[in-house]
């Protein structure tokens, strides 16, 4: 760990280990790990000075905020509401355009590569065909890996776990930076075009969130991009809403499923929701759908190369007759059970692979690129080599498509077969992932694929999907899971063909649904996304049934794949429910020390010393005589606000109230959340020696209404309250009088199982 910075609280209570490449490392343990000298009566205040911090979703009701709110006119409130809708419109437009750009680029790059390979195959230049395919894949893969390794390591992977953690209140480093957005877009295009068993759908969610974050910065003083209206958005609450809209827009753009995008944000991504956010999210995804529809109509005229054939419905199975009986229901139940088992096994294997890759990726960018190139070569060998094991099938007489297909994507690839024959495995492997799914979901083509070919394809895609996720490229999990699920779904359909009425294409769709439910453990959003993808409402009852069964079976073995990845990355994610053992503890049991407080009028030197020697992000403010009859909790002041106040140097030689001068000289927006400039830092302060003994009034910047809980509240109840309110600090106050006005402060870290079980190792055994 030679490049690591070790940031520790001077009192020796927490050590946080962080490397410069943290954003692309998968951790096998949480970031905050070691604790010493803990007691049950004192508390750490705020998060430790670690790059993974909590977000301030709470409204800071200090005097500056109250004055600004009272002074707002009706026109300013109208501007604020109007901007929210305008930003939602811009996010929808931006994400829709990026989605169209991604599709056009992938279809044309992949189309050029596959057409070149097909041409060489028709000329019987088999070795040259493999060299061309593998060479193109290696070049594209190396370029994608180089972007991730050198420019934005945070762009590797799906991005959904990071967005999910951000919306939970975790501010991980660089996950929404402009460089991450750039690499996510172009890296995703390159790696999908390289033939990896990955999708661009997961990265599109991250892309939408990055676009929303960039728009919601509230301007930038660093780059002189400021506007009076934009100042209203310099806070985490509004950014959270915009990023939720961005995540929904990403799903809508990737799957062309606007309603599914809203439900995905509600069910999987967001930890906090309200009706007004629902309306704006729905508006955003509607804009995405309009943009996609307009460009697809434009591209259908042939102006976009190979792209434009699919329309808004990507995999239309509505032509198949949906009629089912008891044997069909039994087959669907079997699919759900298989999906749950395969899905939980998939999650287990992905977990093990990610832990292995985390060790490899720590060795530097060159090793990351080498790993990507190795996986790319293996994928090329499978894609080109496995079709040689398939037998050639005579072309069907009644097909409306050209057979064999030699130019564009289609169901029937000639490969090495004689005239009027096709290779079914080549039709799946030597196609884009989207076209392979479309072939698997094709209806009225019962015997298009041999049972042996479907089995080989399923095993290959399942294994390649496991080993590909985790390398240094933007990679989504949706498409590999849909591919593998559709493969074994169609296989089950072939096996049940003598006793079932359902088309094998519908079995493929149900198989994809079962595998999605078994890996991701979502139900409502996946159901709607699949229905929007396939345009078949008649299949709704069966899709609902298979999703419920697969999720139930999968939950018996492990957690959803995104939950596992969040834990592996060491992101302090708070679950919606409290752990059972928390019911046996109260709030005061997990606070630890020491507790650092300030007086309402505090000496400058004391504040500066506390800021230099601790990494705390929040400090209680205590009013004492002569400003109060007895010591009482005035509120909570944030570290960032203290830095701004000290930089303004509104000091006095006497210990007196000077709040009016602070309000006159400093605006509320000076204390607003920093954008890309990162705000005032401790190094920016220039405090003279004679100023160290002067006083500063903290009352104007103190949040006078922090959320407080009594020390005897159960920890389970406090944890649920903390998450639902989106808090960063929760003050614990004494139950009885005659004691100090605050017992301690609970932060996100204090609710993590690693902290609680470190204090009470045997409590998990209690029911």
């Amino acid at each position: 760990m030679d490049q690591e910075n070790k940031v520790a609280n001077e009192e020796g209570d927490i050590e946080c280990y962080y490397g410069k490449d943290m954003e692309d490392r998968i951790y096998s343990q949480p970031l905050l790990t070691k604790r010493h000298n803990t007691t049950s009566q004192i508390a750490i205040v705020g998060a430790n000075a670690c790059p993974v911090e909590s977000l301030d979703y709470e409204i800071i009701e200090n005097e500056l905020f109250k004055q600004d709110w009272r002074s707002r006119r009706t026109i300013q409130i109208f501007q604020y509401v109007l901007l929210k809708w305008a930003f939602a419109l811009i996010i929808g437009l931006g994400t829709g355009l990026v989605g169209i750009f991604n599709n056009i680029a992938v279809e044309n790059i992949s189309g050029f590569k596959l057409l070149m390979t097909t041409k060489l195959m028709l000329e019987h230049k088999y070795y040259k065909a493999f060299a061309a395919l593998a060479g193109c894949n290696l070049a594209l893969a190396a370029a994608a890996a180089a972007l991730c390794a050198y420019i934005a390591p945070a762009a590797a992977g799906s991005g959904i776990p990071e967005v999910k953690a951000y919306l939970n209140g975790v501010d991980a480093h660089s996950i929404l930076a402009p460089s991450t957005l750039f690499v996510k877009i172009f890296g995703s295009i390159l790696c999908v075009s390289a033939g990896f068993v990955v999708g661009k759908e997961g990265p599109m969610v991250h892309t939408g969130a990055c676009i929303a974050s960039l728009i919601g910065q509230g301007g930038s003083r660093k780059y002189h991009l400021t506007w009076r209206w934009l100042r209203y958005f310099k806070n985490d609450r509004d950014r959270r809403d915009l990023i939720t809209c961005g995540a929904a827009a990403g799903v809508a753009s990737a799957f062309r499923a606007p309603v599914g995008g809203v439900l995905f944000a509600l069910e999987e991504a967001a930890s906090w929701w309200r009706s007004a956010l629902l309306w704006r999210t729905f508006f955003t995804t509607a804009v995405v759908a309009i943009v996609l529809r307009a460009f697809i109509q434009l591209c259908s005229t042939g102006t976009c190369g190979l792209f434009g054939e699919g329309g808004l419905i990507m995999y239309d199975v509505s032509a198949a007759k949906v009629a089912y009986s008891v044997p069909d229901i039994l087959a669907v139940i079997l699919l759900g059970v298989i999906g749950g088992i395969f899905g939980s096994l998939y999650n287990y294997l992905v977990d093990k692979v990610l832990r292995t890759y985390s060790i490899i990726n720590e060795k530097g960018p060159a090793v990351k690129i080498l790993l990507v190139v190795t996986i790319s070569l293996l994928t090329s060998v499978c894609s080109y080599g496995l079709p040689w094991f398939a037998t050639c099938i005579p072309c069907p007489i009644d097909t409306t498509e050209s057979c064999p297909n030699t130019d564009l994507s289609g169901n029937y690839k000639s490969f090495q077969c004689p005239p009027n024959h096709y290779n079914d495995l080549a039709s799946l492997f030597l196609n884009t992932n989207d076209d392979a799914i479309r072939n698997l979901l094709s209806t009225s083509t019962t015997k298009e694929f041999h049972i042996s070919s479907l089995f080989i394809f399923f095993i290959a895609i399942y294994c390649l999907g496991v080993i590909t996720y985790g390398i240094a490229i933007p990679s989504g999990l949706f498409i590999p899971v849909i591919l593998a699920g559709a493969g074994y779904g169609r296989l089950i359909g072939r096996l049940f063909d003598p006793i079932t009425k359902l088309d094998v294409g519908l079995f493929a769709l149900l198989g994809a649904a079962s595998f999605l439910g078994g890996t991701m453990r979502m139900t409502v959003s996946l159901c709607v996304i699949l229905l929007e993808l396939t345009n078949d409402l008649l299949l709704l009852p069966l899709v609902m049934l298979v999703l419920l069964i697969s999720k139930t079976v999968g939950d018996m073995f492990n957690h959803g794949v995104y939950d596992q990845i969040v834990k592996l990355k060491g992101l302090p994610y708070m679950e919606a429910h409290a752990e059972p053992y928390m019911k046996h503890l109260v709030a005061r049991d997990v606070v630890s020390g020491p507790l650092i407080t300030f007086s309402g009028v505090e000496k400058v030197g004391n504040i500066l010393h506390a800021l230099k020697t601790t990494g705390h992000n929040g400090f209680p403010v205590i009013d004492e005589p002569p400003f109060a009859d007895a010591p009482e909790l005035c509120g909570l002041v944030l570290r960032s606000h203290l830095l701004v106040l000290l930089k303004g140097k509104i000091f006095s030689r006497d210990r007196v109230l000077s709040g009016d001068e602070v309000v006159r000289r400093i605006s509320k927006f000076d204390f607003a959340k920093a954008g890309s400039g990162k705000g005032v830092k401790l190094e920016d302060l220039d405090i003279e020696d004679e100023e160290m003994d002067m006083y500063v009034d903290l009352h104007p910047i103190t949040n006078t209404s922090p959320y407080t809980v009594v020390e005897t509240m159960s920890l389970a109840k406090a944890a649920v309250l903390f998450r639902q309110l989106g808090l960063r600090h929760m003050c614990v106050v004494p139950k009885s009088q005659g004691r100090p006005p605050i017992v301690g402060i609970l932060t996100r870290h204090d609710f993590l199982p690693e902290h609680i079980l470190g204090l009470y190792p045997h409590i998990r055994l209690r029911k």
Side-chain angles (χ1 to χ4, degrees):
M1 298 168 62
D2 7 314
Q3 292 186 342
E4 286 184 345
N5 301 316
K6 180 178 172 184
V7 186
N9 195 318
E10 184 171 303
E11 291 81 2
D13 53 330
I14 297 181
E15 291 179 351
C16 175
Y17 295 97
Y18 174 74
K20 291 182 180 178
D21 60 338
M22 196 237 25
E23 49 272 278
D24 74 321
R25 289 171 57 185
I26 306 296
Y27 287 90
S28 59
Q29 59 183 3
L31 295 175
L32 303 178
T33 54
K34 294 179 64 179
R35 302 191 61 85
H36 311 287
N37 304 328
T38 56
T39 70
S40 61
Q41 295 299 323
I42 48 182
I44 286 178
V45 186
N48 194 37
C50 178
V52 177
E53 295 184 354
S54 293
L55 296 165
D56 293 307
Y57 289 154
E58 181 183 356
I59 296 176
I60 308 300
E61 291 185 341
N62 53 35
E63 188 57 40
L64 289 169
F65 170 84
K66 293 175 182 176
Q67 185 190 41
D68 175 75
W69 188 254
R70 287 192 295 263
S71 64
R72 285 193 186 183
R73 299 188 300 255
T74 304
I75 184 63
Q76 292 174 315
I77 297 175
F78 174 76
Q79 290 171 352
Y80 172 65
V81 174
L82 180 64
L83 269 184
K84 283 187 175 183
W85 289 96
F87 282 173
L89 173 65
I90 296 171
I91 292 168
L93 289 172
T95 309
L97 290 174
V98 170
I100 287 291
F101 174 70
N102 279 4
N103 277 309
I104 292 175
V106 168
E107 291 291 331
N108 283 280
I109 295 174
S110 298
F112 171 79
K113 176 189 69 177
L114 294 172
L115 287 176
M116 179 173 59
T117 304
T118 302
K119 181 180 179 181
L120 292 171
M121 289 290 297
L122 291 174
E123 297 172 359
H124 305 290
K125 299 177 181 178
Y126 300 129
Y127 291 108
K128 288 185 178 181
F130 173 72
L133 178 69
C136 290
N137 287 345
L138 286 175
L140 293 168
L147 287 176
C148 275
Y150 289 106
I151 298 179
S158 167
I160 292 178
E162 288 84 353
V163 173
K164 183 176 178 178
Y166 184 93
L167 295 176
N168 188 257
V170 179
D171 190 11
H173 182 62
S174 295
I175 62 171
L176 299 175
S179 58
T180 304
L181 173 62
F182 172 81
V183 174
K184 206 73 180 183
I185 295 174
F186 291 97
S188 177
I189 291 172
L190 292 170
C191 67
V192 174
S193 302
F196 283 115
V197 184
V198 298
K200 52 187 180 292
E201 286 71 17
M204 273 305 303
V205 175
H206 196 178
T207 298
C210 288
I211 291 173
S213 177
L214 196 62
I215 292 171
Q217 289 289 324
S220 172
R221 294 179 184 176
K222 179 179 178 181
Y223 299 108
H224 305 289
L225 299 174
T226 57
W227 188 28
R228 182 178 178 85
W229 286 18
L230 294 178
R231 64 183 186 176
Y232 299 127
F233 291 87
K234 285 186 171 290
N235 63 84
D236 286 328
R237 290 173 62 87
D238 285 318
R239 289 184 196 174
R240 172 187 61 187
D241 289 356
L242 291 174
I243 289 169
T244 303
C245 292
V251 174
S253 180
F255 291 108
R256 308 175 199 172
V259 179
V262 176
L263 293 175
F264 175 86
L266 172 61
E267 182 179 5
E268 181 66 14
S271 297
W272 187 85
W273 198 264
R274 70 182 192 278
S275 59
L277 179 59
L278 175 66
W279 303 336
R280 282 200 300 277
T281 307
F282 186 72
F283 172 71
T284 306
T285 57
V287 172
V288 172
I290 293 171
V291 171
L292 291 176
R293 180 76 269 173
F295 273 87
I296 286 173
Q297 287 182 342
L298 176 65
C299 291
S300 63
T301 60
T303 57
C304 301
L306 301 176
F307 176 73
E309 298 297 323
L312 271 177
I313 304 298
M314 294 177 69
Y315 316 119
D316 196 338
V317 297
S318 59
K321 181 181 179 182
V322 180
Y324 42 88
S325 56
V326 174
D328 300 316
I329 300 296
L330 294 177
V332 170
I333 293 174
L334 176 63
L335 271 179
V337 174
I338 293 175
I341 295 172
F342 281 161
S344 58
L345 177 62
Y346 192 88
N347 293 356
Y348 172 81
L349 295 174
V350 165
D351 180 278
K352 297 302 179 185
V353 168
L354 287 178
R355 292 177 187 273
T356 304
Y357 286 171
S358 68
I359 300 172
I360 298 174
N361 287 338
E362 287 180 359
K363 300 184 183 298
V367 177
K368 294 179 187 178
I369 297 174
L370 180 61
L371 177 61
V372 171
V373 168
T374 303
I375 300 298
S376 173
L377 184 59
L378 177 61
T379 304
S380 299
V381 169
C382 290
S383 299
Y384 189 82
L386 290 178
W388 289 93
F389 294 97
T391 57
C392 294
I393 304 174
C395 290
I397 302 174
D398 55 347
T399 181
T400 57
E401 298 184 30
S402 61
C403 180
N405 184 281
T406 57
D407 46 5
L408 300 178
S409 58
N411 282 40
Y412 308 104
K413 290 287 184 181
S414 173
F415 202 62
Q416 89 292 8
C417 294
N420 297 321
H421 288 71
Y422 71 96
N423 187 308
D424 56 350
L425 267 181
S427 301
L428 296 175
F429 279 114
L430 293 181
N431 252 327
T432 63
N433 291 333
D434 285 349
D435 286 326
I437 295 173
R438 190 173 287 111
N439 292 344
L440 286 170
L441 298 185
S442 61
T443 56
S444 303
T445 54
T446 304
K447 297 184 178 180
E448 178 183 348
F449 301 102
H450 275 307
I451 292 178
S452 58
S453 297
L454 291 171
F455 180 77
I456 293 172
F457 179 76
F458 165 65
I459 296 297
I461 293 298
Y462 192 95
C463 296
L464 287 173
V466 168
I467 65 173
T468 303
Y469 192 82
I471 59 177
I473 58 171
S475 52
L477 280 171
F478 272 97
I479 289 299
V481 169
I482 292 176
L483 269 174
Y488 76 71
R490 194 171 182 105
L491 176 60
I492 295 294
R494 286 295 308 273
L495 295 176
F496 276 77
D497 184 53
I499 61 172
T500 184
K501 298 179 180 178
L502 283 177
D503 192 278
V504 289
L506 300 183
F507 267 103
L509 172 62
L510 294 171
S514 69
F515 202 18
L516 284 169
T519 54
M520 300 179 183
R521 313 294 161 79
M522 294 181 281
T523 52
V524 179
S525 56
L526 283 180
C527 183
V528 174
I529 287 172
L530 288 172
L531 292 178
E532 289 185 286
L533 275 175
T534 57
N535 194 29
D536 195 350
L537 279 175
L538 295 177
L539 210 60
L540 175 62
L542 296 184
V543 173
M544 293 173 65
L545 178 63
V546 80
L547 282 171
L548 288 171
I549 294 174
S550 61
K551 172 179 166 50
T552 303
V553 173
D555 284 339
M556 295 178 182
F557 297 99
N558 50 31
H559 295 290
V561 65
Y562 294 134
D563 294 325
Q564 289 188 175
I565 295 172
V566 165
K567 186 175 181 180
L568 279 171
K569 286 180 175 287
L571 299 172
Y573 184 88
M574 289 196 67
E575 299 290 346
H577 57 84
E579 296 292 341
Y581 55 77
M582 290 185 179
K583 298 176 183 177
H584 303 293
L585 299 172
V586 294
R588 66 165 175 257
D589 290 334
V590 296
V591 296
S592 49
L595 177 65
I596 298 175
T597 65
F598 293 137
S599 298
V601 180
E602 185 59 81
K603 189 176 287 188
V604 173
N606 293 343
I607 299 175
L608 199 59
H609 175 75
L611 295 178
K612 286 181 178 178
T613 57
T614 72
H616 303 340
N617 286 295
F619 301 87
V621 176
I622 308 296
D623 267 341
E624 299 171 334
F627 304 111
D629 296 334
E632 62 180 29
L633 178 64
C634 176
L636 194 75
V637 63
L638 297 180
R639 180 186 188 90
S640 58
H641 292 182
L642 287 171
L643 290 171
V644 174
L645 186 63
L646 292 178
K647 188 174 178 63
K649 292 191 174 185
I650 308 176
F651 307 146
S652 60
R653 297 193 178 277
D654 300 319
R655 195 165 181 254
V656 295
L657 297 174
S658 57
D660 292 341
E661 185 179 359
V662 173
V663 172
R664 283 197 307 270
R665 290 178 52 181
I666 301 183
S667 165
K668 170 189 179 293
F669 294 102
D670 293 325
F671 295 91
K673 177 80 173 184
S676 56
K678 301 302 179 186
V680 180
K681 299 180 178 62
L682 191 60
E683 299 77 26
D684 299 332
L685 301 182
D686 184 22
I687 307 296
E688 306 291 340
D689 291 338
E690 60 270 17
E691 294 173 330
M692 299 291 282
D693 292 325
M694 299 178 73
Y695 293 91
V696 59
D697 187 1
L698 301 182
H699 289 95
I701 64 169
T702 299
N703 180 11
T704 56
S705 57
Y707 285 94
T708 60
V709 297
V710 68
E711 60 182 340
T712 54
M713 175 183 283
S714 74
L715 190 61
K717 189 175 181 180
V720 173
L721 184 67
F722 191 96
R723 184 188 190 272
Q724 288 182 346
L725 294 175
L727 301 182
R728 186 175 188 177
H729 306 100
M730 176 182 280
C731 298
V732 181
V733 297
K735 184 178 182 181
S736 57
Q737 296 181 350
R739 297 169 55 190
I742 183 168
V743 175
I745 291 184
L746 293 175
T747 64
R748 178 177 295 268
H749 166 69
D750 296 307
F751 293 103
L752 295 181
E754 291 77 15
H755 168 54
I756 299 172
L757 297 176
L759 295 175
Y760 306 97
H762 305 296
I763 198 168
R764 191 192 289 270
L765 302 176
R766 298 176 61 183
K767 300 297 183 184

